[in-house]
């Protein structure tokens, strides 16, 4: 009876502890996970994926996800180089490429990358004018991505892409941009009209030169114009005719009458 009680109260818990210890040393890491192993507090190796062995109390493991992380950068107040206040937010795509550095070199790589993204976004956009923010987003995205990738390389992180999502302006600035666009369209219309007048004057000069060489051609042109306006009987048209033309016309009629 004493032996049975001794087995139940001593050996049974010990057996459960041994079984739990055996099962606890096995860890399963997914394909996109890695385990950073520390042996008595010192870095030992990176394990995974699959089934790995971690000795409790002696070894500790920190899981690291290697999938691409999509981080939303909160809206930042930015003052452009031409002193325009705008609100800008962005999204950053990055992933861990070196699990050892991401755990040892930085306390929290997610928070560190987020804070660095916010400061870099303000710094880069503050060096450009508002027109550049609106028209050259691809170049700005590339500049921000390059700076972030260089800074986070020491943390074992690869920044693959940065996209500026929104550039919010005040209503007064939106109206000012609309007025600027309208003024630009008006300027282009005036330039096009002036170019048309210039080309028309050149053609008129060429026509006048041709008519001056042949006075008969000028008379025929007058007659053609008279024919065109003769069909309009609703208005009285006063058509100036030079005296030379009248004399030539009189001479022509006299010749016809003599015949």
């Amino acid at each position: 009876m004493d032996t049975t009680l001794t087995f139940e109260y001593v050996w049974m818990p010990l057996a459960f502890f041994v079984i739990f210890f055996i099962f606890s040393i096995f860890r399963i890491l997914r394909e996109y996970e890695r385990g950073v192993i520390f042996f008595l507090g010192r870095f030992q190796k990176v394990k995974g994926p699959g089934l790995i062995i971690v000795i409790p109390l002696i070894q500790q493991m920190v899981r690291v996800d290697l999938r691409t992380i999509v981080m939303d950068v909160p809206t930042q107040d930015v003052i452009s180089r031409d002193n325009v206040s705008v609100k800008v937010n962005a999204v950053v795509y990055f992933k861990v490429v070196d699990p050892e550095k991401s755990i040892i070199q930085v306390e929290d790589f997610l928070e560190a990358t987020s804070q660095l993204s916010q400061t870099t976004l303000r710094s880069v956009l503050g060096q450009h004018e508002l027109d550049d923010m609106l028209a050259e987003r691809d170049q700005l995205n590339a500049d921000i991505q390059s700076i972030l990738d260089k800074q986070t390389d020491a943390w074992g992180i690869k920044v693959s892409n940065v996209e500026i999502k929104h550039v919010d302006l005040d209503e007064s600035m939106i109206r000012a941009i609309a007025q600027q666009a309208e003024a630009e369209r008006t300027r282009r219309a005036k330039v096009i009209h002036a170019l048309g007048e210039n080309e028309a004057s050149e053609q008129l000069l060429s026509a006048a030169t041709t008519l001056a060489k042949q006075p008969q051609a000028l008379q025929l042109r007058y007659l053609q114009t008279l024919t065109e306006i003769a069909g309009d009987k609703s208005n009285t048209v006063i058509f100036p005719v030079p005296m030379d033309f009248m004399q030539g016309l009189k001479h022509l009629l006299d010749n016809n009458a003599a015949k």
Side-chain angles (χ1 to χ4, degrees), residues 59-73:
Q59 293 179 325
Q60 295 84 34
M61 183 188 72
V62 180
R63 291 176 181 263
V64 179
D65 196 326
L66 302 184
R67 292 176 295 180
T68 298
I69 300 173
V70 182
M71 176 177 291
D72 187 23
V73 180

Side-chain angles (χ1 to χ4, degrees), residues 71-76 88-92 114 117-118 121 162 165:
M71 176 177 291
D72 187 23
V73 180
T75 301
Q76 303 295 310
V88 183
N89 62 348
V91 60
V92 179
S114 175
S117 301
Q118 297 176 37
L121 181 65
V162 176
K165 294 198 296 184

Side-chain angles (χ1 to χ4, degrees), residues 47-62:
K47 293 185 178 181
L51 181 65
I52 65 173
I53 296 177
V54 179
I55 302 175
L57 303 179
I58 297 178
Q59 293 179 325
Q60 295 84 34
M61 183 188 72
V62 180

Side-chain angles (χ1 to χ4, degrees), residues 35-163:
V36 181
I37 307 299
F38 294 91
F39 183 79
L40 296 178
R42 297 179 63 86
F43 170 76
Q44 184 179 13
K45 64 173 63 176
V46 177
K47 293 185 178 181
L51 181 65
I52 65 173
I53 296 177
V54 179
I55 302 175
L57 303 179
I58 297 178
Q59 293 179 325
Q60 295 84 34
M61 183 188 72
V62 180
R63 291 176 181 263
V64 179
D65 196 326
L66 302 184
R67 292 176 295 180
T68 298
I69 300 173
V70 182
M71 176 177 291
D72 187 23
V73 180
T75 301
Q76 303 295 310
D77 292 326
V78 179
I79 299 178
S80 63
R81 193 171 64 179
D82 51 350
N83 297 323
V84 178
S85 179
V86 297
K87 295 182 180 295
V88 183
N89 62 348
V91 60
V92 179
Y93 300 85
F94 67 94
K95 64 179 179 179
V96 177
V97 294
D98 192 334
E100 176 186 352
K101 291 182 179 179
S102 67
I103 298 300
I104 297 177
Q105 299 298 329
V106 63
E107 180 181 2
D108 186 348
F109 66 87
L110 290 174
E111 181 65 20
T113 304
S114 175
Q115 295 297 325
L116 181 61
S117 301
Q118 297 176 37
T119 56
T120 304
L121 181 65
R122 292 194 300 268
S123 176
V124 172
L125 296 184
Q127 299 175 6
H128 294 78
E129 297 182 355
L130 178 61
D131 292 341
D132 296 335
M133 297 183 192
L134 299 176
E136 299 182 2
R137 287 194 181 185
D138 292 340
Q139 183 60 42
L140 294 176
N141 292 337
D143 293 342
I144 297 173
Q145 185 267 335
S146 177
I147 294 174
L148 288 178
D149 190 37
K150 183 178 180 180
Q151 295 293 330
T152 58
D153 183 65
W155 304 339
I157 294 174
K158 172 66 177 178
V159 179
S160 58
N161 194 17
V162 176
E163 292 290 339

